[in-house]
Amino acid sequence: MRPRAIVIGLLSAAAVCSFAFFNDFIMRQTFLVGNYMPISVYGILLIFLLVVNPLLLRASRRLALTGRDLAVIIALTLAACYVPGRGLMHYFTMFLMLPHSYARTTPGWKEAGVLEMAPPRMLADVSRNESEALNGFIQGMSEGSHHMAFSRIPWYAWTRTLGFWLPLLIAFSVAMIGLALVVHRQWSSHEQMPYPIVSFANALLPQEGEARGWVFGNRLFWIGCIAIVAIHLNNYACEWWPRYLIRVERYFDFRSLTEFIPPIQRGGDYLLMNPTVYFTVIGFAFFLSTDVSFSLGIAGYVYTYVAGLLAGYGITLGGGGFISLKMETFLFSGAYFGMFLMLLYTGRHYYASVFRRSLFIPTTEEVEREVVWGARVFLGCAALFALQLYLVGLDWYLAILYTASATITFTVISRVVAESGVFYIHAYHFPCVLLWGFLGAKALGPQMMLIMFMVTSLLMIDPREAVMPFMVQAFKLVDSNRVGPGKVASWGVVALLVAFAVAVPVTLYWSYDQGSGRVADGWTRNVPKMAFDATVSAMEKLKAQGTLAEAGKASDVEWLRSLAPNGSCVLAFFIAMGLVLLFGAARLRFPRWPFHPIMFLVLATWQSRCFAFSFLIGWLVKVAVTKYGGAATYQRVKPLMIGLIAGDMLGGVLPMLIGLVYYLVTGEPPKRFLVLPS
């Protein structure tokens, strides 16, 4: 690792964190991060390799960045990408402040006293100057075209709550970096996971003495890349001049067919029967094993069909609030637990040796020193995370169970990204809801539930951007470029701290300058309500049952008697877990088994519906190429598929740069153009 690569990587991380909120909510462009394959990172990488690095190499060989340098820079940037966008900062400040506003206008909250039930450290403090701290946050403090001074941020309202949340989030994030280091060797070397996103990046990175990667010299790559960039730039121009240009449609409407398939119509045919073609997904599907791409393609259709059949018999899988007791949530939870058990089983010998060494217990198997330290960091920081939950008011056993369940979620998401390249995924598995369904509201009590709901609202409500999946990619990328993952892990922690140090004040500044009413969208306004609405709903049910007064107050034998698992939710959990284990075993036992258990992890989420059609296209292309052209033709077509992905990245980043120039010149938000869903 050369010092300049580290410096550039940290500066890149700071740049992403300083610009993301402005790009996403002020200019309202494609999200700067948005998913596990940020267009801002890979699009800028392509521009750098096409334009800048060749000029640097021509000027001096020492000035040009090598593949190792770029791998380190990308890795450190990815370490910071969790913080500034949908993973956290999009709703971080709003969640901490807006409940004070909603409490004024929500009678149910006032009647239940739910805001007073929250530990004071978990919300912003508006007691000193509510007009400035709360009203200024909602309405904005800029005057006309003049932005407010940075010094006007009312830090007195935030120091207490930031003193709780930042150590909590940093502890969990560092724990996930340590765990990513633990699973890296098992997934990368022992199980030979494909890492499609990393394979794409490696095809771009230059070898020693070169300015670009090998793929830039392939004609098929340029055909695919130029064609896709042309489509996107044409469609972007149509946003500005719709009367003079013709759009190249990527959207299809097959909803008229659903009248012949009533279960799909009842189960929800949106996005599945009116799909958009995403070229990046088609490209990645071509690199995956056919059972993975096929399963990702049909998962949404199969689940929707089954849900529609059950709806015909009066059985509803979904419905209710985002954080609520419903069978659909427990299907996801069961699937995630089932997949986690499979991961433990396949790597049981290696993981046992790693954690034995981390606890200073000797083993016969050799384990890298950096992996042992990764395990120690994970155990220590996970314990610190659980301790902080306990100190804020959560019972010790709930703090441990919550930490374990959250760890399972992000481990499985990381595996999905490494194995399938699904760069846009939502777990729909919440530890707080899982404990609610298995233990019951009476055993937990309203305050315990509220604390877990609040932590979930910031940590897990939208895990499309999370530390561990980013770092799993980063370690594979640097390892394949002969850079030690251990060193990158250490600097990754530094990049993460830089991210928090930059993103928090920047987000607070823009929130107060513009006002949450202008910078927020429907999702970010709704997240601050979820924890409190779910708690009020549980309290109303307890009140109707006459058990609200004693809820959460039982101990020992009485607590065991108060347990009231939700039968249908628990059944859904074990059905999904059993199906994942069954399909996983069948895949290992029968070589021609066509389904991968990953289909139960995505089911019919919004993200799965977006990509299902494109995964099926990629699967069909691969099947056709391998059947009629053989292995040699498959290898020749690979650069074309890399070109499709590169075209999406360039076609997404160029409108962002054009939009930035337009905003700087005019002061007005540019036309919004999406290459991938935001």
Side-chain angles (χ1 to χ4, degrees), residues 300-311:
Y301 295 97
V302 172
Y303 178 78
T304 301
Y305 186 85
V306 172
L309 283 178
L310 293 176

Side-chain angles (χ1 to χ4, degrees), residues 15 23 38 139 157 198 278 284 296 298 315 499 567 589 618 631 647:
N23 174 83
Q139 300 167 5
V198 176
Y278 296 105
F284 282 144
L296 289 168
I298 68 167
I315 301 174
R589 178 65 179 84

Side-chain angles (χ1 to χ4, degrees), residues 504-531:
V504 170
V506 166
T507 304
L508 275 174
Y509 172 78
W510 286 116
S511 298
Y512 274 102
D513 180 77
Q514 298 291 305
S516 63
R518 293 176 61 186
V519 301
D521 56 20
W523 172 252
T524 52
R525 291 191 192 98
N526 196 36
V527 167
K529 301 178 183 179
M530 292 179 181

Side-chain angles (χ1 to χ4, degrees), residues 222-250:
W222 286 109
I223 291 173
C225 182
I226 292 174
I228 302 307
V229 170
I231 290 173
H232 289 318
L233 291 183
N234 173 78
N235 290 350
Y236 181 55
C238 287
E239 297 290 333
W240 294 92
W241 303 289
R243 296 177 58 187
Y244 305 104
L245 296 170
I246 300 174
R247 179 182 301 275
V248 179
E249 287 296 344
R250 297 185 295 134

Side-chain angles (χ1 to χ4, degrees), residues 306-343:
V306 172
L309 283 178
L310 293 176
Y313 293 98
I315 301 174
T316 303
L317 298 180
F322 203 72
I323 304 178
S324 63
L325 280 181
K326 51 187 175 183
M327 295 176 67
E328 186 177 59
T329 302
F330 284 77
L331 289 172
F332 282 103
S333 298
Y336 271 71
F337 270 76
M339 181 61 74
F340 185 74
L341 291 177
M342 289 177 57
L343 300 182

Side-chain angles (χ1 to χ4, degrees), residues 91 126 257 398 561 588:
Y91 45 80
V126 299
L257 299 177
L398 293 176
R561 292 175 179 171
L588 296 175

